[in-house]
Amino acid sequence: MSEKTAVTFAPGLEGVVATRTRLSNVDGAAGRLVIAGFPVEELAVRASFEEMLYLLWNGALPDAEELAALRRDLAAVRVVSQTTKDVLEAVAAEKVPPMDALRMASGTLGSRDGDDRDDALRLVAAFPTIVAAHRRLSQGNEPVEPRPELSHAANYLYMLSGEVPSAEQVQALETYLNTVSDHGMNASTFTARVIVSTRSDLVSAVVGAVGALKGPLHGGAPGPALDVVFEIGEASRAESYLRAKLDRGERLMGFGHRVYKVRDPRADVLASAAERLYATDADRDLYRLALEVEKAAIRLLEEYKPGRNLDTNVEFYTALLLHGLRLPPELFTPTFAVGRVAGWTAHCFEQRELDRLIRPQSEYVGAEGRAWEPVEER
Ligand code: ACO
């Protein structure tokens, strides 16, 4: 039976509504992001990561008892299995980059009976453990075991450095993780939903999503965005440096978005968080320089790509905020995954409920009517 003809061909699926979700509302024209009913500006700075996770998974904020139970459940599976540790040791010895290590190690996280909620808990709880352990092993250090009394975000920073972080650092990281926790039908979330739509398991879905997030057009931008700020070095060089990049036809990392045609609202949330973090930091000149680079970039993008409405996206201030938390650029994308795994798993639950195979169509543009030739006659 032949397929019905697709109505319109949209190579990047732009404008295609592929699902309905209660998780987040991305209003690209107005530059608004609402997560489960809360404006991102409010949720990101007020919620703990655990509250935000509960909200995404259950559709409502937890009461004190529910929150304590979720914290306990996460703590119980934050220490990873020996199999996961073995994978991390092997890949660190082979100098595998952090996102690939996360992809490989997260494949070991499945619960024995493949229960969705157990899988989701393990994935969310173990992501920081995996990223931190791999980082330490790659630096020739022993991994640091998580502490049950520390929060999810605090544990991440603790397992990286071996030092209990300050309340300000934890709040800055939670603001970041909450800000990026969910964002409509982005490429990695779509990947996860496609996998679950085949009635596959959550670990498979999240491993696929990690692969999608790794690409420089999605989650791989903040490292290069920060490199640009460092390479520019001082505000007076911003214009000539960025102009040279655009003249070479390169893209400016941290700018432009498929959905937002105004400033990404998450950029403001993270810019304020970065400003608070850098207020007390010797590195605050870097924050000022970044503001100048941003201004020059927006001006030049309008000059080079008039009418395309290219503005700052989430990645530009991600880089600055995570740098302020002393995270190295190699960990920017894995840290994005530590936040986004909340949204991925929540979307997996929604997709499981919907239980509809995602299977779009293609338009055939290949050859027709060929006659077969045996290999010796070709
Ligand atoms: N720098 C220079 N030019 C750009 C940029 C940029 N950052 N972004 C888009 N353009 C150009 C495109 O090349 C295109 O030019 P053309 O019409 O002359 O061919 C034009 O602007 C319009 O591009 P769009 O179709 O609006 O861009 P698209 O939706 O395909 O891409 C994307 C969006 C991939 C995010 C793009 O803006 C980009 O590559 N940005 C840099 C990478 C980045 O920051 N990624 C993180 C995104 S946020 C996230 O995923 C979490």
Side-chain angles (χ1 to χ4, degrees):
M1 198 171 71
S2 71
E3 287 185 317
K4 273 190 264 164
T5 316
V7 184
T8 10
F9 167 49
L13 300 186
E14 45 270 82
V16 174
V17 177
T19 197
R20 288 188 166 147
T21 181
R22 291 182 292 266
L23 299 170
S24 59
N25 184 11
V26 183
D27 183 340
R32 280 179 68 238
L33 169 60
V34 170
I35 298 181
F38 294 93
V40 67
E41 296 79 5
E42 187 179 354
L43 185 74
V45 290
R46 299 188 72 164
S48 64
F49 177 84
E50 289 86 342
E51 284 174 301
M52 183 279 304
L53 179 67
Y54 190 98
L55 174 68
L56 286 180
W57 281 0
N58 300 286
L61 287 171
D63 63 23
E65 216 170 283
E66 289 162 336
L67 185 58
L70 178 60
R71 283 187 198 280
R72 271 197 307 275
D73 290 349
L74 287 167
V77 285
R78 194 167 278 130
V79 178
V80 294
S81 70
Q82 193 54 48
T83 309
T84 312
K85 289 178 182 166
D86 290 346
V87 168
L88 287 169
E89 271 178 29
V91 298
E94 287 177 25
K95 307 219 173 313
V96 169
M99 274 305 270
D100 298 304
L102 177 62
R103 191 191 69 239
M104 293 178 203
S106 48
T108 64
L109 292 176
S111 56
R112 203 161 291 156
D113 56 1
D115 177 78
D116 281 350
R117 192 182 143 80
D118 284 356
D119 279 352
L121 263 176
R122 276 166 206 273
L123 288 159
V124 171
F127 263 37
T129 315
I130 289 173
V131 176
H134 178 259
R135 170 72 185 171
R136 291 188 64 89
L137 288 165
S138 303
Q139 302 285 101
N141 298 318
E142 278 300 304
V144 172
E145 291 285 302
R147 281 202 196 169
E149 79 282 9
L150 292 181
S151 71
H152 190 73
N155 255 310
Y156 182 40
L157 295 173
Y158 171 68
M159 288 186 283
L160 278 168
S161 69
E163 285 165 28
V164 176
S166 69
E168 290 74 35
Q169 289 171 320
V170 174
Q171 218 235 329
L173 180 61
E174 288 196 307
T175 299
Y176 170 71
L177 297 176
N178 293 343
T179 299
V180 301
S181 60
D182 196 52
H183 201 240
M185 204 43 30
N186 62 87
S188 55
T189 299
F190 184 56
T191 305
R193 286 193 79 132
V194 169
I195 293 173
V196 166
S197 85
T198 69
R199 296 193 184 161
S200 184
D201 63 290
L202 261 66
V203 175
S204 301
V206 167
V207 169
V210 169
L213 187 71
K214 181 182 148 188
L217 297 189
H218 187 10
L226 187 67
D227 290 344
V228 165
V229 177
F230 278 129
E231 280 165 28
I232 288 174
E234 57 179 277
S236 61
R237 295 189 58 234
E239 164 134 7
S240 57
Y241 180 97
L242 296 173
R243 208 175 264 290
K245 259 191 178 304
L246 290 167
D247 284 339
R248 290 195 297 271
E250 290 178 25
R251 291 188 176 201
L252 305 185
M253 293 293 142
F255 298 89
H257 198 273
R258 176 58 62 79
V259 181
Y260 292 120
K261 296 305 168 197
V262 291
R263 191 174 156 89
D264 183 333
R266 299 170 298 175
D268 285 330
V269 177
L270 300 185
S272 307
E275 195 180 3
R276 282 194 295 276
L277 195 63
Y278 281 92
T280 54
D281 195 291
D283 230 0
R284 60 182 173 274
D285 287 348
L286 183 70
Y287 181 77
R288 291 203 199 100
L289 172 63
L291 292 185
E292 294 302 320
V293 171
E294 183 192 16
K295 268 193 238 152
I298 293 171
R299 200 174 57 241
L300 290 173
L301 284 169
E302 183 51 32
E303 182 188 322
Y304 279 74
K305 302 280 172 188
R308 307 300 210 296
N309 302 319
L310 300 172
D311 211 322
T312 318
N313 66 39
V314 65
E315 305 284 37
F316 189 74
Y317 283 102
T318 290
L320 213 60
L321 186 67
L322 298 185
H323 175 75
L325 285 168
R326 309 271 177 269
L327 297 191
E330 309 88 86
L331 292 196
F332 291 174
T333 310
T335 306
F336 190 166
V338 166
R340 183 56 61 82
V341 69
W344 289 335
T345 48
H347 274 274
C348 289
F349 293 149
E350 272 196 345
Q351 186 64 41
R352 187 71 86 215
E353 218 176 281
L354 185 67
D355 195 23
R356 179 76 184 159
L357 177 71
I358 297 175
R359 199 318 188 176
Q361 298 174 29
S362 51
E363 183 188 354
Y364 181 65
V365 293
E368 300 279 359
R370 282 180 164 165
W372 182 257
E373 290 168 0
V375 67
E376 58 280 2
E377 291 171 25
R378 283 176 222 158

